[in-house]
């Protein structure tokens, strides 16, 4: 289990979620990527694990308009399309690669 980040910042200029990890590692994730990667029950079938969300329907300019910590293990993001059901665990965010930054 990955420990929580030292810092979490929402950069509204670049529309990215920035995370600084205790090991010195830093990551930055685009809002669009995070919305497309949501694994809530309305985005991914709970039984089959197949993505239900049509990624083409996610606006390119989608933004993160809110964020709430969930315990000591995740963050819940609120997107400009009204979607707010997914939890993004620290493990997942630490391991998620953003093609725009690699």
């Amino acid at each position: 289990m990955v420990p929580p980040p030292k810092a979490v910042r929402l950069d509204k200029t670049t529309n990215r979620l920035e995370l600084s990890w205790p090991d010195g590692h830093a990551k930055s994730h685009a809002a669009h990527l995070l919305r497309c990667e949501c694994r809530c029950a309305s985005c991914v079938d709970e039984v089959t694990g197949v993505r239900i969300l049509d990624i083409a329907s996610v606006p390119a300019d989608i933004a993160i308009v809110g964020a709430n910590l969930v315990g000591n293990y995740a963050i819940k993001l609120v997107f400009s399309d009204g979607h707010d059901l997914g939890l993004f665990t620290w493990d997942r965010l630490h391991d998620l690669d953003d093609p725009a930054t690699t």
Side-chain angles (χ1 to χ4, degrees):
M1 184 169 182
V2 174
K6 292 189 312 182
V8 178
R9 182 173 156 315
L10 181 56
D11 185 335
K12 294 195 181 218
T13 304
T14 61
N15 205 17
R16 300 182 75 81
L17 180 68
E18 298 177 347
L19 304 149
S20 298
W21 300 97
D23 63 4
H25 184 171
K27 283 218 171 175
S28 173
H29 300 296
H32 188 268
L33 170 77
L34 293 170
R35 177 65 183 94
C36 291
E37 287 293 322
C38 182
R39 293 185 182 166
C40 78
S42 60
C43 293
V44 175
D45 185 281
E46 293 178 87
V47 176
T48 66
V50 173
R51 180 162 306 283
I52 300 168
L53 173 68
D54 176 9
I55 293 175
S57 72
V58 177
D61 64 348
I62 196 161
I64 299 169
V65 297
N68 298 299
L69 295 178
V70 178
N72 202 26
Y73 71 96
I75 190 167
K76 181 177 183 178
L77 301 176
V78 180
F79 295 92
S80 57
D81 66 354
H83 189 74
D84 66 352
L85 300 175
L87 296 180
F88 293 84
T89 65
W90 301 136
D91 286 340
R92 182 134 180 273
L93 289 169
H94 186 271
D95 295 342
L96 184 64
D97 286 323
D98 188 337
T101 61
T102 56

